[in-house]
């Protein structure tokens, strides 16, 4: 039985109908429009996030201020140290701040005077409390006396700090040729401190978190400066770098001494730096000298701060 063979295909098949390109072109134009729109939205979001603080988010509960005090447990009795800590802790609780109490022995100073310990302590705090906006170093031999004043409103608010700024002031009074800048804006300030009669007083100072503060502290703590035989060690080293490093001078602001660094002794305070009731801080500057006693000088003010704090809870 023979089956019929399929017919042979023509070598000239009929042409196929041309496929319409309308819809692919339409799809391509839509894709391009979506991509352009997405890019535009991304650019807008980038600028908005930059305008309102960047992409970094501050974790909830972050203390805005860290109070750093280096304690010397070898040369001061336990009761005195506990009084100092309690003073900072009570104040910090009232305003949502936190405290940091390293000891002199926590840092390798390589034979330098123990007063140098403040520098790595503040640098340590910048790392430990990465998101806190301000680090306030307050010397051990001092007390916070007015619990109602805050770092933000009393000092660091841009308009407030501009109103406090001492312009064209010799860094080392009375006749240093290097002077503070006059055009520094409040939101540009990275370092705030005051002067006494002799020069910069670094027993109470504030730094703002960021790369500039790290650079400043690393420069201050440079082994070269610690190896110099400065008469006042870290104090004279600070005056040296401020006068010879424009990068540091340009972000520094001097404010009146009584704002955060009033002294008990008139002879060592600046022109208007002697403590008066209601001032923020009292410091017993130089009390560690052989003719003075820090514990005795602090005793009446210790009773006073406790009375004031309890009355204002």
């Amino acid at each position: 039985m023979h089956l019929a063979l399929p017919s042979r295909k023509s070598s000239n098949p009929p042409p196929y109908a041309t496929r319409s390109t309308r819809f692919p072109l339409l799809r391509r134009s839509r894709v391009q429009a979506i991509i352009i729109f997405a890019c535009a939205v991304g650019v807008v979001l980038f600028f908005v996030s930059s305008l309102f603080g960047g992409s970094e988010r501050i974790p909830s509960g972050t203390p805005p201020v860290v109070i750093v005090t280096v304690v010397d447990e070898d040369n001061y009795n336990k009761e005195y140290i506990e009084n100092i800590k309690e003073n900072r802790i009570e104040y910090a609780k009232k305003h949502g701040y936190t405290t940091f109490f390293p000891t002199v022995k926590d840092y390798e100073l390589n034979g330098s005077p123990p007063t140098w310990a403040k520098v790595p302590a503040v640098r340590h705090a910048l790392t430990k409390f990465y998101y806190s906006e301000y680090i306030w170093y307050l010397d051990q031999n001092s007390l916070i006396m007015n619990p109602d004043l805050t770092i933000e409103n009393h000092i660091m608010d841009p308009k407030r700090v501009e109103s406090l700024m001492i312009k064209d002031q010799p860094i080392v009074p009375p006749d240093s040729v290097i002077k503070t800048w006059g055009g520094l804006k409040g939101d540009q300030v990275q370092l705030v401190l005051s002067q006494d009669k002799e020069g910069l007083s670094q027993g109470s100072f504030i730094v703002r978190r960021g790369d500039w503060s790290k650079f400043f502290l690393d420069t201050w703590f440079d082994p070269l400066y610690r190896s110099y035989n400065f008469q006042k060690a870290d104090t004279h080293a600070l005056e040296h770098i401020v006068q010879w490093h424009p990068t540091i001078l340009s972000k520094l602001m001097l404010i009146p001494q009584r704002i955060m660094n009033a002294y008990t002794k008139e002879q060592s305070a600046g022109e208007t730096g002697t403590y008066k009731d209601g001032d923020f801080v009292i410091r017993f500057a130089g009390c560690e000298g052989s003719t003075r006693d820090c514990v005795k000088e602090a005793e009446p003010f210790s009773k006073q701060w406790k009375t004031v704090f309890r009355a204002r809870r």
Side-chain angles (χ1 to χ4, degrees):
M1 180 177 177
H2 296 280
L3 299 175
L5 295 174
S7 60
R8 173 177 280 181
K9 293 182 179 180
S10 172
S11 60
N12 298 306
Y16 289 99
T18 304
R19 188 174 183 181
S20 173
T21 59
R22 177 185 175 187
F23 294 106
L25 286 174
L26 182 61
R27 286 196 293 270
R28 283 199 295 272
S29 65
R30 285 180 177 175
V31 170
Q32 290 172 348
I34 291 172
I35 292 173
I36 293 172
F37 178 76
C39 291
V41 170
V43 170
V44 170
L45 290 176
F46 172 78
F47 282 109
V48 169
S49 64
S50 299
L51 182 63
F52 293 99
S55 59
E56 184 181 52
R57 294 189 177 184
I58 306 299
S60 177
T62 297
V65 177
V66 180
I67 306 169
V68 178
T69 296
V70 178
V71 295
D72 184 356
E73 297 176 331
D74 289 342
N75 295 304
Y76 294 85
N77 63 57
K78 183 178 180 180
E79 183 179 357
Y80 180 76
I81 297 296
E82 290 304 313
N83 176 58
I84 297 300
K85 289 183 178 181
E86 183 185 359
N87 174 253
R88 278 50 159 181
I89 291 170
E90 288 295 315
Y91 173 76
K93 284 181 180 178
K94 183 177 177 67
H95 300 293
Y97 301 164
T98 194
T99 54
F100 182 47
F101 300 111
T103 70
V104 172
K105 292 181 177 180
D106 287 343
Y107 306 104
E108 181 55 62
L109 303 178
N110 295 316
S112 300
T115 54
W116 275 104
K118 65 169 67 67
V119 186
V122 174
R123 184 66 169 82
H124 185 181
L126 282 171
T127 302
K128 183 178 177 67
F129 304 95
Y130 180 80
Y131 292 102
S132 294
E133 185 67 15
Y134 303 113
I135 306 296
W136 176 25
Y137 176 78
L138 185 58
D139 185 73
Q140 172 188 274
N141 297 319
S142 55
L143 292 167
I144 300 169
M145 299 300 292
N146 189 335
D148 296 332
L149 301 177
T150 67
I151 293 299
E152 300 95 324
N153 296 331
H154 180 56
I155 301 173
M156 295 306 296
D157 174 79
K159 291 184 178 179
R160 168 66 171 170
V161 80
E162 284 181 23
S163 71
L164 296 172
M165 177 172 56
I166 303 175
K167 301 178 182 180
D168 300 318
Q169 174 73 5
I171 295 300
V172 181
D175 53 5
S176 171
V177 296
I178 307 298
K179 300 180 181 181
T180 56
W181 288 27
L184 188 60
K185 300 298 183 182
D187 57 0
Q188 299 173 330
V189 175
Q190 300 292 327
L191 169 63
V192 177
L193 73 165
S194 61
Q195 289 177 313
D196 56 22
K197 283 184 176 180
E198 298 180 357
L200 298 180
S201 177
Q202 79 312 27
S204 177
F205 67 88
I206 300 168
V207 294
R208 190 193 302 266
R209 78 180 182 102
D211 292 336
W212 185 94
S213 292
K214 295 174 183 177
F215 161 76
F216 158 65
L217 293 164
D218 290 345
T219 302
W220 189 5
F221 199 62
D222 190 293
L224 180 64
Y225 298 131
R226 284 185 284 134
S227 68
Y228 286 175
N229 292 319
F230 286 123
Q231 184 180 3
K232 290 189 175 181
D234 51 299
T235 301
H236 285 170
L238 176 61
E239 292 174 346
H240 175 83
I241 65 172
V242 167
Q243 292 183 96
W244 294 102
H245 288 268
T247 303
I248 295 174
L249 179 63
S250 65
K251 300 296 183 181
L252 174 150
M253 185 172 285
L254 291 181
I255 63 175
Q257 188 177 352
R258 282 181 53 207
I259 294 297
M260 65 172 188
N261 193 26
Y263 286 4
T264 53
K265 298 296 183 180
E266 187 173 347
Q267 64 267 27
S268 56
E271 185 177 346
T272 58
T274 306
Y275 176 80
K276 295 182 180 179
D277 285 343
D279 285 347
F280 188 24
V281 169
I282 186 169
R283 280 192 60 221
F284 317 109
C287 68
E288 62 277 2
S290 59
T291 61
R292 296 172 59 184
D293 187 326
C294 298
V295 176
K296 288 184 178 180
E297 288 188 26
E299 186 175 354
F301 296 101
S302 296
K303 295 177 181 178
Q304 184 177 335
W305 81 255
K306 290 177 181 178
T307 300
V308 172
F309 276 45
R310 287 165 186 165
R312 300 183 186 181
R313 282 178 178 172

